[in-house]
Protein backbone atom coordinates (compact mmCIF):
# COMPACT_ATOMS: atom_id res chain seq x y z
CA UNK A 1 0.00 0.00 0.00
CA UNK A 2 1.24 3.45 -0.85
CA UNK A 3 -0.19 6.72 0.43
CA UNK A 4 -0.69 9.40 -2.20
CA UNK A 5 0.00 12.65 -0.40
CA UNK A 6 -1.81 14.98 -2.75
CA UNK A 7 -4.61 16.93 -1.10
CA UNK A 8 -6.02 18.17 -4.40
CA UNK A 9 -6.18 14.64 -5.82
CA UNK A 10 -7.86 13.40 -2.63
CA UNK A 11 -10.51 16.14 -2.72
CA UNK A 12 -11.16 15.46 -6.38
CA UNK A 13 -11.54 11.73 -5.71
CA UNK A 14 -13.92 12.32 -2.80
CA UNK A 15 -16.16 14.58 -4.83
CA UNK A 16 -16.07 12.49 -8.01
CA UNK A 17 -17.10 9.34 -6.13
CA UNK A 18 -19.67 11.19 -4.02
CA UNK A 19 -18.16 9.80 -0.82
CA UNK A 20 -19.03 12.77 1.47
CA UNK A 21 -22.73 11.95 0.92
CA UNK A 22 -22.26 8.77 3.00
CA UNK A 23 -21.35 10.74 6.14
CA UNK A 24 -22.68 13.58 8.22
CA UNK A 25 -19.50 13.76 10.33
CA UNK A 26 -17.10 16.47 9.22
CA UNK A 27 -13.33 16.43 9.40
CA UNK A 28 -12.82 12.70 8.88
CA UNK A 29 -9.21 11.82 8.00
CA UNK A 30 -9.64 10.31 4.54
CA UNK A 31 -6.53 9.22 2.65
CA UNK A 32 -5.82 8.41 -0.98
CA UNK A 33 -4.02 5.07 -1.30
CA UNK A 34 -2.91 2.71 -4.05
CA UNK A 35 -2.23 -1.03 -4.19
CA UNK A 36 -0.36 -3.04 -6.80
CA UNK A 37 -1.85 -6.00 -8.64
CA UNK A 38 -1.45 -9.14 -6.51
CA UNK A 39 -1.04 -7.20 -3.26
CA UNK A 40 -3.04 -8.43 -0.26
CA UNK A 41 -5.26 -5.82 1.33
CA UNK A 42 -6.07 -8.19 4.19
CA UNK A 43 -5.23 -11.71 5.36
CA UNK A 44 -5.77 -13.86 8.47
CA UNK A 45 -2.71 -12.26 10.06
CA UNK A 46 -3.51 -8.73 8.87
CA UNK A 47 -7.23 -7.90 9.10
CA UNK A 48 -8.69 -5.07 7.05
CA UNK A 49 -8.31 -1.94 9.16
CA UNK A 50 -9.68 0.66 6.77
CA UNK A 51 -12.97 1.41 5.12
CA UNK A 52 -11.93 1.35 1.46
CA UNK A 53 -13.79 2.95 -1.42
CA UNK A 54 -12.31 1.39 -4.56
CA UNK A 55 -12.18 4.08 -7.26
CA UNK A 56 -10.24 2.19 -9.91
CA UNK A 57 -9.34 -1.48 -10.31
CA UNK A 58 -10.68 -4.84 -9.15
CA UNK A 59 -10.45 -6.95 -5.99
CA UNK A 60 -11.43 -10.43 -4.88
CA UNK A 61 -12.24 -11.77 -1.42
CA UNK A 62 -11.64 -15.43 -0.65
CA UNK A 63 -10.99 -18.09 1.97
CA UNK A 64 -8.28 -20.75 1.82
CA UNK A 65 -9.09 -24.37 2.64
CA UNK A 66 -6.62 -26.54 4.55
CA UNK A 67 -5.63 -28.25 1.28
CA UNK A 68 -4.62 -24.89 -0.21
CA UNK A 69 -7.60 -24.51 -2.53
CA UNK A 70 -9.62 -21.31 -2.34
CA UNK A 71 -13.30 -20.45 -1.89
CA UNK A 72 -14.25 -17.25 -3.69
CA UNK A 73 -16.45 -15.04 -1.53
CA UNK A 74 -16.80 -12.09 -3.88
CA UNK A 75 -15.14 -10.36 -6.77
CA UNK A 76 -15.69 -6.64 -7.17
CA UNK A 77 -15.21 -4.07 -9.89
CA UNK A 78 -14.78 -0.30 -9.53
CA UNK A 79 -16.86 1.50 -6.85
CA UNK A 80 -16.59 -1.51 -4.50
CA UNK A 81 -16.68 -0.63 -0.79
CA UNK A 82 -14.67 -2.81 1.61
CA UNK A 83 -14.74 -2.80 5.39
CA UNK A 84 -18.46 -2.49 6.20
CA UNK A 85 -18.57 -6.01 7.65
CA UNK A 86 -15.44 -5.34 9.72
CA UNK A 87 -17.03 -2.13 11.03
CA UNK A 88 -20.33 -3.81 11.90
CA UNK A 89 -18.85 -6.81 13.72
CA UNK A 90 -15.39 -7.12 15.17
CA UNK A 91 -13.71 -10.47 15.61
CA UNK A 92 -14.86 -12.15 12.41
CA UNK A 93 -12.33 -14.57 10.87
CA UNK A 94 -10.11 -12.55 8.61
CA UNK A 95 -10.45 -13.20 4.90
CA UNK A 96 -7.96 -12.73 2.10
CA UNK A 97 -8.65 -9.60 0.09
CA UNK A 98 -6.44 -9.35 -2.99
CA UNK A 99 -5.97 -6.69 -5.64
CA UNK A 100 -6.54 -8.36 -9.00
CA UNK A 101 -5.36 -5.22 -10.78
CA UNK A 102 -3.70 -2.00 -9.70
CA UNK A 103 -6.05 -0.20 -7.29
CA UNK A 104 -6.78 3.38 -6.38
CA UNK A 105 -8.83 3.79 -3.19
CA UNK A 106 -10.03 6.33 -0.69
CA UNK A 107 -9.30 4.93 2.77
CA UNK A 108 -10.74 5.81 6.18
CA UNK A 109 -9.10 4.13 9.22
CA UNK A 110 -11.86 2.32 11.12
CA UNK A 111 -10.64 2.26 14.71
CA UNK A 112 -9.39 5.84 14.69
CA UNK A 113 -12.82 6.99 13.57
CA UNK A 114 -15.07 4.34 15.18
CA UNK A 115 -16.58 6.59 17.86
CA UNK A 116 -17.56 9.22 15.30
CA UNK A 117 -18.85 6.63 12.82
CA UNK A 118 -20.96 4.85 15.43
CA UNK A 119 -22.73 8.16 16.09
CA UNK A 120 -23.08 9.05 12.39
CA UNK A 121 -26.68 8.28 11.36
CA UNK A 122 -26.02 8.80 7.64
CA UNK A 123 -23.08 6.41 7.69
CA UNK A 124 -24.99 3.81 9.72
CA UNK A 125 -27.80 3.85 7.15
CA UNK A 126 -25.18 3.40 4.43
CA UNK A 127 -23.67 0.39 6.24
CA UNK A 128 -27.14 -1.11 6.79
CA UNK A 129 -27.93 -0.75 3.09
CA UNK A 130 -24.62 -2.39 2.11
CA UNK A 131 -25.13 -5.34 4.46
CA UNK A 132 -28.72 -5.73 3.30
CA UNK A 133 -27.51 -5.87 -0.31
CA UNK A 134 -25.04 -8.62 0.63
CA UNK A 135 -27.74 -10.70 2.31
CA UNK A 136 -30.18 -10.13 -0.54
CA UNK A 137 -27.58 -11.09 -3.13
CA UNK A 138 -26.67 -14.29 -1.31
CA UNK A 139 -30.32 -15.19 -0.71
CA UNK A 140 -31.35 -14.67 -4.32
CA UNK A 141 -28.35 -15.89 -6.28
CA UNK A 142 -26.19 -17.79 -3.80
CA UNK A 143 -28.02 -21.10 -3.86
CA UNK A 144 -25.97 -23.98 -5.32
CA UNK A 145 -29.00 -25.64 -6.94
CA UNK A 146 -29.63 -22.63 -9.17
CA UNK A 147 -28.40 -22.75 -12.75
CA UNK A 148 -26.30 -19.90 -14.12
CA UNK A 149 -29.28 -18.87 -16.27
CA UNK A 150 -31.51 -18.66 -13.21
CA UNK A 151 -28.95 -16.71 -11.22
CA UNK A 152 -28.39 -14.28 -14.08
CA UNK A 153 -32.10 -13.52 -14.52
CA UNK A 154 -32.62 -13.05 -10.77
CA UNK A 155 -29.57 -10.78 -10.65
CA UNK A 156 -30.81 -8.63 -13.53
CA UNK A 157 -34.47 -8.48 -12.52
CA UNK A 158 -34.20 -8.03 -8.76
CA UNK A 159 -30.72 -6.75 -7.90
CA UNK A 160 -29.55 -4.58 -10.81
CA UNK A 161 -31.54 -1.30 -10.83
CA UNK A 162 -31.15 -0.92 -14.62
CA UNK A 163 -31.78 -4.65 -15.30
CA UNK A 164 -28.69 -4.63 -17.51
CA UNK A 165 -25.56 -6.78 -17.67
CA UNK A 166 -22.62 -4.51 -18.44
CA UNK A 167 -20.04 -6.97 -19.72
CA UNK A 168 -19.01 -10.52 -18.93
CA UNK A 169 -16.69 -9.45 -16.09
CA UNK A 170 -19.61 -8.06 -14.09
CA UNK A 171 -21.62 -11.27 -14.47
CA UNK A 172 -18.67 -13.53 -13.61
CA UNK A 173 -17.97 -11.47 -10.47
CA UNK A 174 -21.53 -11.53 -9.22
CA UNK A 175 -22.50 -15.09 -10.15
CA UNK A 176 -19.18 -16.80 -9.33
CA UNK A 177 -19.08 -18.60 -12.66
CA UNK A 178 -16.62 -18.95 -15.53
CA UNK A 179 -16.75 -16.88 -18.71
CA UNK A 180 -17.75 -19.97 -20.69
CA UNK A 181 -20.64 -20.75 -18.32
CA UNK A 182 -21.88 -17.17 -18.48
CA UNK A 183 -21.59 -16.96 -22.25
CA UNK A 184 -23.58 -20.20 -22.58
CA UNK A 185 -26.29 -18.84 -20.27
CA UNK A 186 -26.46 -15.54 -22.17
CA UNK A 187 -26.82 -17.33 -25.51
CA UNK A 188 -29.59 -19.54 -24.16
CA UNK A 189 -31.51 -16.62 -22.65
CA UNK A 190 -31.15 -14.53 -25.80
CA UNK A 191 -32.39 -17.47 -27.87
CA UNK A 192 -35.53 -17.70 -25.73
CA UNK A 193 -36.15 -13.96 -25.80
CA UNK A 194 -35.40 -13.33 -22.12
CA UNK A 195 -32.34 -11.19 -22.83
CA UNK A 196 -31.79 -8.61 -25.51
CA UNK A 197 -28.38 -7.41 -26.64
CA UNK A 198 -28.03 -3.63 -26.59
CA UNK A 199 -24.29 -3.29 -27.27
CA UNK A 200 -21.02 -5.14 -27.13
CA UNK A 201 -21.20 -7.32 -24.03
CA UNK A 202 -24.32 -5.46 -22.82
CA UNK A 203 -27.59 -7.34 -22.33
CA UNK A 204 -30.94 -6.16 -20.98
CA UNK A 205 -33.48 -8.43 -19.28
CA UNK A 206 -36.83 -8.46 -21.07
CA UNK A 207 -40.23 -8.89 -19.49
CA UNK A 208 -39.29 -6.96 -16.35
Amino acid sequence: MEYIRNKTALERALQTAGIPAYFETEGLNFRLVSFEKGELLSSPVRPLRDLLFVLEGTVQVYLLREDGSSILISRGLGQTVLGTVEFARRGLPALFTEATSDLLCVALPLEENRAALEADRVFLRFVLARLTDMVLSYTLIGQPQQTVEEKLMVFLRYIKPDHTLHGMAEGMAQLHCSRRQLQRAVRGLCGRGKLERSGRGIYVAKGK
Side-chain angles (χ1 to χ4, degrees), residues 132-146 154 159:
T132 300
D133 286 345
M134 292 179 191
V135 173
L136 179 63
S137 178
Y138 175 79
T139 301
L140 294 178
I141 61 176
Q143 306 308 312
Q145 68 271 21
Q146 289 176 305
V154 169
I159 298 177

Side-chain angles (χ1 to χ4, degrees), residues 32-189:
L32 194 61
V33 300
S34 64
F35 298 86
E36 294 182 353
K37 180 179 179 179
E39 187 173 351
L40 288 177
L41 284 64
S42 70
S43 71
V45 296
R46 190 182 66 187
L48 191 64
R49 293 187 173 91
D50 296 303
L51 186 69
L52 292 175
F53 295 85
V54 180
L55 307 176
E56 299 174 7
T58 59
V59 297
Q60 65 178 4
V61 181
Y62 58 93
L63 284 169
L64 283 183
R65 297 187 179 97
E66 291 185 2
D67 63 5
S69 61
S70 63
I71 304 173
L72 181 66
I73 305 300
S74 68
R75 182 183 292 119
L77 307 176
Q79 299 302 312
T80 297
V81 181
L82 303 170
T84 51
V85 172
E86 287 78 2
F87 170 79
R89 183 176 178 181
R90 306 180 195 182
L92 285 177
L95 303 172
F96 289 91
T97 307
E98 181 182 344
T100 49
S101 71
D102 290 345
L103 291 182
L104 179 66
C105 307
V106 168
L108 181 66
L110 285 173
E111 293 310 313
E112 291 178 28
N113 297 281
R114 181 170 289 277
L117 295 177
E118 289 179 345
D120 190 318
R121 294 168 297 177
V122 173
F123 176 69
L124 293 178
R125 286 196 293 270
F126 167 72
V127 170
L128 180 60
R130 295 287 304 182
L131 297 179
T132 300
D133 286 345
M134 292 179 191
V135 173
L136 179 63
S137 178
Y138 175 79
T139 301
L140 294 178
I141 61 176
Q143 306 308 312
Q145 68 271 21
Q146 289 176 305
T147 67
V148 176
E149 286 190 4
E150 290 170 338
K151 291 181 179 182
L152 178 56
M153 291 309 297
V154 169
F155 172 63
L156 295 179
R157 284 177 172 164
Y158 303 111
I159 298 177
K160 280 300 294 288
D162 62 357
H163 311 291
T164 301
L165 176 67
H166 297 277
M168 293 293 113
E170 179 186 38
M172 293 162 59
Q174 297 297 328
L175 306 182
H176 296 182
C177 64
S178 68
R179 181 177 295 273
R180 179 175 296 180
Q181 290 173 316
L182 182 58
Q183 289 173 334
R184 187 184 305 121
V186 167
R187 284 196 299 270
L189 292 168

